[in-house]
Amino acid sequence: MKLSCDVIRDLLPLYADRAASADTAALVEEHLASCPACREELGRLGAALPAEPEGAEPLRRFKRRWRRRQVLIAVTAVVATAAVAAGIFLTCFWGRRVAAGEVEVSLELQWSGSGLEADPGKARSRGELEQGNWSGVIHVRSSDEKNLRSRVEPFSETDENGVTVRAGYVMDLWEVPDWAPSGSGGITAGYGYPNEAGPIPEDFDIVFIVRYRDGEVTYSAREMGLLDPAG
């Protein structure tokens, strides 16, 4: 029978004077075994605390460890549930990172200027490109016609003289569900060479570095034959 502290404290004077019945004393002692506040109240009455049964302290230590274990299990469950929920949210709304074999990638040169025929796949010399405004463009499409989401960051590399020799973008790609709030069937990004930068360096190259789920791939306009190395 579980009694409240108020009831026990009403019984403590009888217990302290040894006037309580054996059943009442047993109830009081059962309560005192787990209630420090009532034990302190009994001490103020000038009565000795009841002797603890053999093995009581190990039992209390076991109960404390068990309570801590239950708290740890509960906290672990909450953290695990939150991690799973976060993973589901990111997969549904941000997407799954794309593998290299899941997309089709192409590069081309686009420009505006006089005297240049419109042939984005033709290799161009530095002299031709200096006649107008031009840019290197990457096109990425899902092989399975899935929607894609991208994050694009510009980058450039310079030589020991501070001249830009490689420039373009670093791209991250994710596949998103059709019902996701954003995403498209294809991703296009273009890097335009700034005319104010002066003549195009002899070894200049436009590159797009795509970070896939299974590694990083660099797409080079020069290696794909769009910039004439002899030009």
Side-chain angles (χ1 to χ4, degrees), residues 60-225:
R60 279 199 296 271
R61 287 199 299 268
F62 172 77
K63 288 181 176 179
R64 287 195 295 267
R65 288 196 300 269
W66 179 250
R67 283 195 294 269
R68 286 196 295 268
R69 182 180 179 86
Q70 287 179 312
V71 171
L72 180 61
I73 292 173
V75 170
T76 302
V78 170
V79 172
T81 301
V84 171
I88 294 174
F89 175 83
L90 291 176
T91 300
C92 292
F93 291 94
W94 186 252
R96 178 181 65 90
R97 190 177 286 272
V98 173
E102 297 175 340
V103 293
E104 300 170 356
V105 179
S106 63
L107 263 63
E108 66 174 356
L109 295 183
Q110 295 180 352
W111 64 90
S112 62
S114 59
L116 296 178
E117 59 178 307
D119 187 357
K122 180 180 178 181
R124 294 294 174 178
S125 67
R126 290 181 294 121
E128 287 179 307
L129 295 175
E130 287 174 357
Q131 297 180 41
N133 299 316
W134 63 279
S135 61
V137 180
I138 185 172
H139 301 282
V140 184
R141 294 194 64 84
S142 169
S143 302
D144 300 326
E145 299 183 353
K146 301 291 187 180
N147 281 343
L148 301 175
R149 186 201 306 271
S150 68
R151 179 175 61 199
V152 180
E153 300 175 354
F155 92 101
S156 63
E157 295 178 0
T158 58
D159 61 15
E160 63 275 9
N161 299 315
V163 177
T164 301
V165 293
R166 289 208 323 164
Y169 290 106
V170 177
M171 301 180 65
D172 295 282
L173 297 173
W174 292 269
E175 177 186 302
V176 296
D178 294 340
W179 49 263
S182 62
S184 62
I187 302 295
T188 298
Y191 173 83
Y193 186 82
N195 287 341
E196 63 271 15
I200 299 173
E202 182 177 349
D203 54 352
F204 179 76
D205 192 10
I206 293 179
V207 296
F208 297 92
I209 301 172
V210 182
R211 296 188 290 216
Y212 295 107
R213 185 173 71 245
D214 49 353
E216 185 177 281
V217 178
T218 299
Y219 300 92
S220 161
R222 185 174 291 274
E223 292 178 1
M224 296 181 75

